[in-house]
Amino acid sequence: MGGYIVGWLLEPLSHDFMVRALLVSSLVAAVCGLLSCFMTLKGWALMGDAVSHAVMPGVVIAYALNLPFALGAFVFGVGSVAVIGFVKQMTRIKEDTVIGLVFTGFFALGLVLVSKIRSNIDLTHILFGNVLGISDSDIQQTVLISAAVLVLLMVFRRDLILFCFDPTHARSIGINTGVLYYLLLSVLSLAAVAGLQTVGIILVVAMLVTPGATAHLLTDRFDRMVWIAVVSAMLSSLVGIYWSYWMDASTAGCIVLTQTGLFLLSFLFAPRHGVLAQQRR
Amino acid sequence: MEAVHAKPGPIERISVRNLSVDYHGIVALHDVSLQVQASSLCGLVGMNGAGKSTLFKALMGFVRPSCGSIVIDGLPLRQARRSQAVAYVPQMESVDWNFPVNVGNVVMMGRYGGMNLLRIPRPRDHRAVRKSLERVDLWSLRDRQIGELSGGQRKRAFLARALAQGASVLLLDEPFAGVDIRTEKLMIQLFEQFRAEGRTLLISTHDFSHVRGFCDQVVLINKTVMAYGDTSEVFTEENLARTFSTIPPHDLALPVEDEVWLGEA
């Protein structure tokens, strides 16, 4: 039995692509897991969904021009939110409507570009991720992006926590909340493009939301929330990739489904904020 | 407790001159002038939409006045804000009580404005937080997540944050909403102590008994200052009737060519 499990764990590691996939996806999961704490506390799930879709044309153009895809993602991610803000300010249309129409517009542009620009981009890789076939240059960029996001979030975490918790107070004591808004937004664009390497555009919002939600049910302390989110995200990636290997199922689907499973466990069994604990009260 | 930033010169804590604020052509405040002294509990009374929250926003520098000026502790608003002079105590409904921060974290946030970019607390920040928490009797609960506090304790936690900030002007938005009698008494005691230290509290309230009970001054507003001064002189039936009449006394509409119907208007 023990030997069977060891074999189940070790056999995939004989493939180079599996080792790379496990390493890259763990890194991406850690970064997105950290960011997901801020996203869930700020209530930016819809924003995460919007930005992760809106980066698509940027990624396509960057690939076509042989530029770093992080650059394209950054420009279109931040740009889409600027457009959302502008349309909201200039018209009577409500914010969630504006978000919905802007990000789908950007996404549609991305689809058209993929189909018309001659390149070696595979649409399904962008939509559903391709962590098992990730190239060396993509890995390099993903590592750089991840490092940048980690450093920015850790250095400015106190300001960002305050920004999420009480932006009015932050402003009243002279902190520039506009800068924090764009900082969080930039980090979100970068993390989204890192996340889409592993699970693709359609499911990346899960990476940006689910670990934070899982962790928020399990603790009332921010530092613990971060650890739980990061560990649960990394665990989900590892389990998901193994699972997809042995079942020959969609990698992105397996990763996100594992995350959802962990959330369900936390939803049911979290010691104080879980459903069962609340029932007992 | 830390000394309030009292500049030797001015006795005026808040000095507002001819302040007007409009949002896309809709007048929110019109020609407001106001001088509030140091050591004052000043009530702010007016209907919903009379401009109370706009006045608060203006005093925090959140809205750009179309004309007029604000001076706090003898300093222009931007500098006053840098020197941590103004603290805003939010309405309790606007706070996310599930947020994973404890009482000590929240009070420490009062110190951020004076810290370096990384907001790493120095010994004096820890001392200020401790003193503030002891003042409002919450030191023993400093590790509690904020949602675990009772209603009165929640209020006190946010007052402690303003104390830790060292603010000389406290803006309190409906501080007595949903508060039981015991907490109310305790808060009024604290307010009176703050006044004795030289602080100025601007308290928006709907409850006239509070104004009569402990506010030495009162501002009545309805888009502009309807009356302002010592409560005993100004808080009259007649002034209240004028403040709460639905038709503003002045013609507040802007000239037609300035009207722009855009945005959240």
Side-chain angles (χ1 to χ4, degrees):
Chain A
M1 182 65 190
Y4 180 74
I5 292 173
V6 170
W8 191 86
L9 285 173
L10 289 185
E11 200 266 7
L13 299 182
S14 62
H15 304 287
D16 192 34
F17 73 87
M18 275 298 282
V19 177
R20 287 150 55 108
L22 289 166
L23 289 176
V24 171
S25 65
S26 305
L27 178 64
V28 169
V31 169
C32 291
L34 171 58
L35 180 59
S36 73
C37 295
F38 294 96
M39 292 292 118
T40 49
L41 292 174
K42 186 74 186 157
W44 265 19
L46 185 56
M47 192 80 114
D49 204 18
V51 167
S52 56
H53 280 77
V55 298
M56 181 165 175
V59 174
V60 176
I61 292 170
Y63 266 116
L65 298 176
N66 232 345
L67 291 167
F69 56 74
L71 186 68
F74 179 78
V75 169
F76 277 79
V78 175
S80 69
V81 175
V83 171
I84 288 168
F86 182 72
V87 174
K88 198 188 92 178
Q89 206 182 17
M90 298 306 286
T91 67
R92 59 204 288 177
I93 299 169
K94 291 196 173 68
E95 184 174 27
D96 59 338
T97 309
V98 179
I99 290 177
L101 79 87
V102 170
F103 90 70
T104 46
F106 274 84
F107 187 63
L109 174 65
L111 285 178
V112 171
L113 287 176
V114 169
S115 62
K116 293 311 286 181
I117 289 179
R118 242 175 250 279
S119 74
N120 52 359
I121 312 172
D122 187 331
L123 179 60
T124 55
H125 291 169
I126 292 188
L127 294 185
F128 302 110
N130 178 34
V131 73
L132 299 183
I134 190 167
S135 72
D136 280 344
S137 71
D138 285 1
I139 289 180
Q140 270 173 19
Q141 282 196 53
T142 305
V143 169
L144 284 176
I145 291 170
S146 301
V149 171
L150 279 175
V151 168
L152 285 171
L153 286 179
M154 291 315 288
V155 166
F156 293 106
R157 70 181 182 284
R158 290 191 173 92
D159 273 16
L160 289 170
I161 292 170
L162 173 56
F163 173 61
C164 294
F165 177 60
D166 193 348
T168 308
H169 171 69
R171 276 177 80 182
S172 75
I173 60 174
I175 290 175
N176 191 334
T177 48
V179 168
L180 293 177
Y181 177 87
Y182 279 100
L183 172 68
L184 198 54
L185 186 59
S186 309
V187 168
L188 168 61
S189 303
L190 293 176
V193 77
L196 76 83
Q197 295 290 326
T198 55
V199 297
I201 277 179
I202 293 181
L203 287 176
V204 77
V205 69
M207 306 280 285
L208 297 170
V209 169
T210 311
T214 304
H216 196 191
L217 290 180
L218 290 169
T219 180
D220 281 324
R221 290 183 45 171
F222 186 82
D223 47 355
R224 283 189 200 149
M225 181 175 169
V226 166
W227 281 114
I228 295 171
V230 167
V231 169
S232 82
M234 291 174 79
L235 191 70
S236 302
S237 285
L238 298 177
V239 171
I241 289 175
Y242 268 99
W243 190 23
S244 86
Y245 177 88
W246 286 112
M247 293 204 334
D248 197 18
S250 151
T251 315
C254 288
I255 292 174
V256 173
L257 208 51
T258 311
Q259 283 189 346
T260 312
L262 288 180
F263 173 78
L264 266 178
L265 288 178
S266 154
F267 171 75
L268 289 173
F269 303 115
R272 297 192 54 217
H273 307 297
V275 172
L276 296 180
Q278 306 237 337
Q279 291 284 316
R280 251 179 271 131
R281 246 175 242 174
Chain B
M1 199 57 220
E2 232 173 304
V4 170
H5 313 134
K7 298 278 176 298
I11 11 161
E12 276 172 7
R13 277 263 182 262
I14 306 173
S15 172
V16 178
R17 284 182 208 285
N18 306 112
L19 178 78
S20 292
V21 177
D22 62 285
Y23 298 115
H24 305 291
I26 307 292
V27 175
L29 285 176
H30 176 70
D31 200 26
V32 169
S33 291
L34 193 64
Q35 275 75 43
V36 190
Q37 316 300 316
S39 297
S40 173
L41 290 182
C42 182
L44 179 62
V45 173
M47 289 181 288
N48 290 329
K52 286 177 291 181
S53 56
T54 304
L55 181 59
F56 277 169
K57 281 181 188 161
L59 289 170
M60 289 185 282
F62 290 7
V63 289
R64 191 188 292 268
S66 46
C67 65
S69 69
I70 298 172
V71 172
I72 286 176
D73 280 344
L75 297 171
L77 196 53
R78 183 181 284 263
Q79 269 171 274
R81 197 160 58 157
R82 287 251 173 77
S83 70
Q84 307 300 308
V86 184
Y88 174 72
V89 181
Q91 289 194 37
M92 295 291 105
E93 306 87 76
S94 67
V95 176
D96 176 4
W97 297 104
N98 292 317
F99 205 96
V101 284
N102 64 33
V103 178
N105 298 147
V106 169
V107 178
M108 187 59 87
M109 286 172 183
R111 304 289 302 175
Y112 279 16
M115 294 182 191
N116 65 16
L117 208 60
L118 299 182
R119 320 287 175 206
I120 296 168
R122 300 152 293 185
R124 66 182 140 126
D125 296 314
H126 288 296
R127 280 198 300 275
V129 167
R130 175 166 189 159
K131 270 185 181 170
S132 309
L133 280 170
E134 284 173 346
R135 278 244 2 233
V136 300
D137 220 6
L138 285 180
W139 175 247
S140 58
L141 301 182
R142 62 191 177 276
D143 292 326
R144 289 269 180 94
Q145 193 264 337
I146 48 164
E148 293 171 33
L149 299 181
S150 71
Q153 291 166 341
R154 292 176 180 191
K155 303 257 178 189
R156 274 143 58 199
F158 279 84
L159 286 177
R161 184 175 74 178
L163 284 179
Q165 186 182 331
S168 54
V169 173
L170 274 68
L171 308 176
L172 297 120
D173 204 347
E174 299 288 348
F176 299 107
V179 163
D180 60 49
I181 304 270
R182 219 185 100 249
T183 305
E184 192 178 298
K185 278 195 178 140
L186 211 108
M187 284 168 65
I188 293 171
Q189 264 177 22
L190 278 169
F191 291 175
E192 283 170 346
Q193 288 173 19
F194 295 170
R195 170 170 60 189
E197 289 157 10
R199 295 179 215 272
T200 291
L201 282 71
L202 194 56
I203 302 164
S204 83
T205 180
H206 284 295
D207 191 330
F208 296 170
S209 68
H210 289 139
V211 179
R212 294 206 178 88
F214 63 87
C215 291
D216 44 73
Q217 297 191 301
V218 66
V219 183
L220 299 174
I221 68 169
N222 187 359
K223 304 283 183 186
T224 187
V225 174
M226 305 302 293
Y228 165 65
D230 291 345
T231 306
S232 52
E233 291 167 24
V234 170
F235 207 60
T236 59
E237 292 297 329
E238 193 199 336
N239 280 339
L240 282 169
R242 287 201 305 136
T243 307
F244 286 85
S245 73
T246 43
I247 304 150
H250 303 296
D251 179 17
L252 294 173
L254 289 178
V256 174
E257 63 266 27
D258 283 357
E259 277 182 300
V260 189
W261 297 96
L262 285 175
E264 297 105 355

